[in-house]
Amino acid sequence: MTTTEHGGDRDRRLSPADVQNVMFSRGAFRRGYDDHEVDSFLDRVEYELTRLIAEKAELRDHVQALEQQIATDGSTPAQPPTAQAVRILSAAQQTADQYVADAESYSRRLASEAREQYEQIVEQAREQADALLQHTRQQAANGAVGPVGAIAGDARTTEELQAQVVYLQAFAQACRTQLRSYLEALLTDVEAEWGRADPNALPPSRANGRPTRLSGAHPADDVVDLRR
Amino acid sequence: MDIAAMRASFSKAAEAGDEAPLYFYSHLFLSHPETRGMFPVSMAHQRDRLFTALGEVMARVDDLDALVPILQQLGRDHRKFGTLAAHYPAVGASLLATLEHFDDTWNAELAADWTAAYQLIAKVMVEAADAASDQPPWWDAKVLTHELRGIDTAVLQVQPQVVLPFKAGQSVSVETERRPRLWRYYSIANAPRPDNILELHVQAQDGGPVSSALVRHVSAGDVLRLGSPVGQLTLDPDSRRDLLLVAGGTGLAPLKALVDQVARQGPPRRVDLFVGARTEDRLYDLRDLRRLEQELPWLTVTPAVSDDPRSSLERGDVSEVCLRHGPWTNRDVFVAGSRQTVRDTVARLTALGTPAESIRTEVFAPSRPGPTLEGEVTS
């Protein structure tokens, strides 16, 4: 049987309509298949194809429904996993966990040891630097070295003198501040005691005539004001 | 629903220790292999967390008012793991199979009760996740700068591609593709900015997979995944009181964010920030803090070192140093740092008259895998 319409079109699916519309070429002397047989066979093919297509659609719907059911209600897998399967997977998971834990603990130890070493090395380097500096200064001070050392010694002396000047200045400043606050506290005390003993005895002009009063505002002024 | 019987059956599974969650996950992965990809390679920590979380849910199952917000938060947060509504029944089936496996007296009533309870839990979580669907499940954020400060601390600037709304002082969970499926919480060190850039402070923990990767492997151009922000270490909008901020280590990050918020939005107030570390080298952000102190007249920064004889900074534990500058009875107080720093600071402050209710704290534990059921970031 040859089909004039579909011979070169193998990819196209055969539909019942194709079967129905198919034209068979006839032999010149009416040789070939019996027309009636061919027709009845084609009827059966048509019927069969229709049935298959319907069945396929039905199955597709069924698959979709099942997929949807699994998606919305995961409690319907075909078979719950067996206890053996669960055991095997659990053992595998535990092995994997152990490997990861080992790797993490190794990396933890390595990192903490590295940090300790780093800190030790930095500390040692600092100590060495300090010691070296100390040593150089001492040598220079002793004048035990040659001309280069002498220059270094001079530099050090200048440096040292400058440092001493700065120190002394700071010390003087600190003394002054301390002394000032001490004196002012003393004055406040004296005034408070005086006022308490005899409020009227405080001369109104006393604040102006205070000989030891140092410049700058002081909380003691408030005390005096309150009493006036 | 017979809650007592359910608790009894749950405790039987819980008593089996690691066996029960091990069974649960194996059952889940065998019946639904597609869920395996949502979990990290090593399940060891995950197993602890599952039954801890379930236990906390079980403890509150008769107090729905307390339970529902927790479940809603869990449901929203699970979106970042790629959890879909379709996964909930799968988890429920495996949970039931696990409980049955470890309970000799399992019966149909228990199964029915557990099914009903689980369906309720799943419903609340799924609904919360759906309600949050206007926000992305996670934010992809590009690393703009990655700066190593010292040997094990990094300061990163990252820029989410979509605006990530948060409050100053909150944290986000972070995942890097170098350590897939491992999420860790990090505080954002700035208030929301118009350019949407976030600053993160990361200290590499020895053997910590995520923190080490963030400090030593991640570089500019990489993309991190950020989860939705959480945390209560935020300014009280109704308070105008001055602030006392006490930070240990990278606990500085959320407190720096609070400074940033006062600078951006006010109200004007005095802010005293104490930041402590073991050595001066470990005060990784001191230069930026000094710059802020120059720019912001209301800010005083006091760094402290606890074990650095060479340093000219104040000596002592940060809680101790902060007390030296007290009293702090009239401040809103925020403390972030190691468990010990937080505990000592709170104890010392309350002993000297700071009311406990004006102190907010956050513990920076070495591994911060996620918020507890209360929504706290601390572990």
Side-chain angles (χ1 to χ4, degrees):
Chain A
M1 144 164 77
T2 55
T3 58
T4 51
E5 290 173 27
H6 306 301
D9 196 3
R10 300 171 68 98
D11 287 341
R12 219 182 120 215
R13 303 287 300 270
L14 186 67
S15 73
D18 291 336
V19 176
Q20 190 176 32
N21 297 331
V22 70
M23 300 292 287
F24 291 93
S25 48
R26 292 179 184 274
F29 305 100
R30 293 195 60 85
R31 275 172 26 204
Y33 296 110
D34 176 46
D35 286 353
H36 179 72
E37 274 181 16
V38 170
D39 287 343
S40 69
F41 179 71
L42 286 180
D43 282 346
R44 279 181 54 205
V45 169
E46 184 190 355
Y47 173 76
E48 182 65 14
L49 272 173
T50 310
R51 201 180 64 84
L52 283 174
I53 286 170
E55 202 175 80
K56 193 179 155 203
E58 206 177 276
L59 283 171
R60 196 194 297 117
D61 288 348
H62 193 53
V63 167
Q64 269 179 355
L66 281 175
E67 276 174 352
Q68 209 159 11
Q69 198 179 351
I70 287 169
T72 54
D73 174 16
S75 60
T76 55
Q79 281 284 318
T82 63
Q84 190 188 27
V86 170
R87 217 167 33 244
I88 291 170
L89 184 59
S90 296
Q93 181 64 56
Q94 278 180 310
T95 311
D97 293 350
Q98 193 56 52
Y99 285 173
V100 172
D102 286 351
E104 277 186 15
S105 108
Y106 180 63
S107 113
R108 182 177 307 123
R109 211 172 57 235
L110 217 60
S112 88
E113 280 171 8
R115 177 176 305 99
E116 254 169 53
Q117 280 191 8
Y118 162 87
E119 282 172 0
Q120 271 175 13
I121 290 168
V122 169
E123 183 60 29
Q124 274 174 8
R126 279 176 178 157
E127 275 169 14
Q128 278 176 5
D130 285 353
L132 202 65
L133 210 64
Q134 188 90 25
H135 179 70
T136 317
R137 279 183 181 160
Q138 215 153 22
Q139 273 198 334
N142 295 342
V145 279
V148 179
I151 291 166
D154 286 344
R156 191 197 62 81
T157 315
T158 317
E159 194 181 88
E160 195 180 48
L161 280 175
Q162 277 172 347
Q164 267 189 355
V165 168
V166 171
Y167 171 75
L168 286 172
Q169 278 172 344
F171 186 72
Q173 180 64 37
C175 283
R176 208 177 295 141
T177 313
Q178 286 270 350
L179 205 60
R180 176 188 297 164
S181 49
Y182 174 69
L183 284 174
E184 287 179 0
L186 210 59
L187 259 178
T188 315
D189 271 2
V190 170
E191 281 170 358
E193 290 300 322
W194 189 0
R196 208 172 292 142
D198 185 3
N200 298 326
L202 272 179
S205 60
R206 204 195 54 80
N208 299 334
R210 193 189 293 158
T212 50
R213 186 82 174 97
L214 297 163
S215 61
H218 189 276
D221 291 344
D222 297 337
V223 180
V224 175
D225 287 340
L226 277 174
R227 269 197 309 252
R228 275 181 196 153
Chain B
M1 207 179 281
D2 187 350
I3 290 175
M6 288 171 68
R7 284 195 173 131
S9 80
F10 176 75
S11 66
K12 279 179 200 161
E15 275 162 22
D18 201 34
E19 288 297 312
L22 193 59
Y23 186 95
F24 165 80
Y25 280 112
S26 298
H27 191 279
L28 177 66
F29 296 155
L30 283 167
S31 49
H32 294 272
E34 72 278 7
T35 54
R36 183 60 181 93
M38 296 162 64
F39 293 90
V41 174
S42 169
M43 295 289 295
H45 302 294
Q46 188 65 37
R47 285 200 293 273
D48 295 346
R49 291 171 62 194
L50 174 83
F51 264 57
T52 313
L54 273 175
E56 290 185 49
V57 170
M58 278 314 293
R60 290 175 177 79
V61 81
D62 41 9
D63 182 6
L64 284 182
D65 287 347
L67 188 59
V68 165
I70 294 168
L71 292 174
Q72 286 171 336
Q73 167 66 30
L74 274 176
R76 280 192 293 271
D77 203 50
H78 268 68
R79 295 167 68 228
K80 73 180 182 216
F81 302 124
T83 313
L84 305 172
H87 294 130
Y88 283 89
V91 168
S94 291
L95 178 64
L96 243 69
T98 306
L99 291 169
E100 184 178 356
H101 183 78
F102 288 93
D103 190 347
D104 302 335
T105 58
W106 186 258
N107 56 38
E109 291 91 79
L110 263 176
D113 280 354
W114 270 103
T115 306
Y118 181 78
Q119 275 169 355
L120 186 70
I121 290 170
K123 183 165 172 279
V124 174
M125 287 178 71
V126 169
E127 281 174 359
D130 286 346
S133 59
D134 54 326
Q135 287 204 338
W138 67 81
W139 284 260
D140 283 330
K142 196 170 178 179
V143 178
L144 301 178
T145 62
H146 179 281
E147 207 180 320
L148 257 183
R149 308 261 181 96
I151 56 166
D152 53 12
T153 310
V155 173
L156 288 80
Q157 294 216 314
V158 305
Q159 190 172 37
Q161 279 147 20
V162 178
V163 175
L164 191 162
F166 69 99
K167 289 186 207 145
Q170 285 193 308
S171 338
V172 284
S173 51
V174 178
E175 184 204 28
T176 157
E177 59 187 12
R178 288 161 197 272
R179 300 287 182 268
R181 301 304 178 188
L182 291 175
W183 293 80
R184 295 289 187 271
Y185 277 81
Y186 291 97
S187 289
I188 301 168
N190 57 279
R193 286 165 44 160
D195 59 10
N196 201 24
I197 290 175
L198 315 177
E199 180 178 309
L200 302 175
H201 298 179
V202 185
Q203 185 179 1
Q205 302 297 334
D206 293 346
V210 179
S211 60
S212 311
L214 286 174
V215 170
R216 305 207 173 94
H217 301 302
V218 165
S219 57
D222 285 5
V223 174
L224 305 178
R225 275 185 179 185
L226 310 179
S228 48
V230 293
Q232 310 296 324
L233 203 71
T234 50
L235 291 182
D236 175 1
D238 299 329
S239 169
R240 300 177 64 87
R241 295 205 289 179
D242 292 344
L243 303 180
L244 169 65
L245 312 176
V246 185
T250 49
L252 172 64
L255 305 186
K256 197 181 170 193
L258 298 184
V259 171
D260 194 30
Q261 189 188 344
V262 175
R264 284 171 194 277
Q265 295 171 14
R269 38 173 83 178
R270 284 210 52 78
V271 178
D272 284 82
L273 170 62
F274 290 84
V275 51
R278 201 157 65 73
T279 63
E280 196 170 331
D281 294 345
R282 286 166 176 262
L283 289 166
Y284 60 91
D285 205 28
L286 201 51
R287 206 172 43 178
D288 205 37
L289 294 177
R290 291 296 188 211
R291 177 187 63 80
L292 286 174
E293 202 179 19
Q294 289 289 316
E295 286 174 9
L296 308 170
W298 40 264
L299 174 67
T300 310
V301 177
T302 311
V305 289
S306 58
D307 182 21
D308 190 347
R310 280 192 179 76
S311 172
S312 58
L313 300 172
E314 279 207 49
R315 305 281 173 77
D317 197 68
V318 68
S319 60
E320 209 178 301
V321 172
C322 131
L323 260 287
R324 261 179 233 156
H325 293 254
W328 305 106
T329 46
N330 266 322
R331 301 273 181 136
D332 282 344
V333 183
F334 293 83
V335 188
S338 69
R339 194 170 295 283
Q340 195 183 347
T341 299
V342 169
R343 203 173 40 211
D344 290 356
T345 310
V346 171
R348 287 183 158 131
L349 283 170
T350 46
L352 287 183
T354 306
E357 61 270 19
S358 63
I359 306 179
R360 290 194 188 190
T361 64
E362 188 162 309
V363 170
F364 275 51
S367 179
R368 303 208 298 156
T372 63
L373 283 173
E374 285 78 20
E376 300 257 328
V377 181
T378 55
S379 57

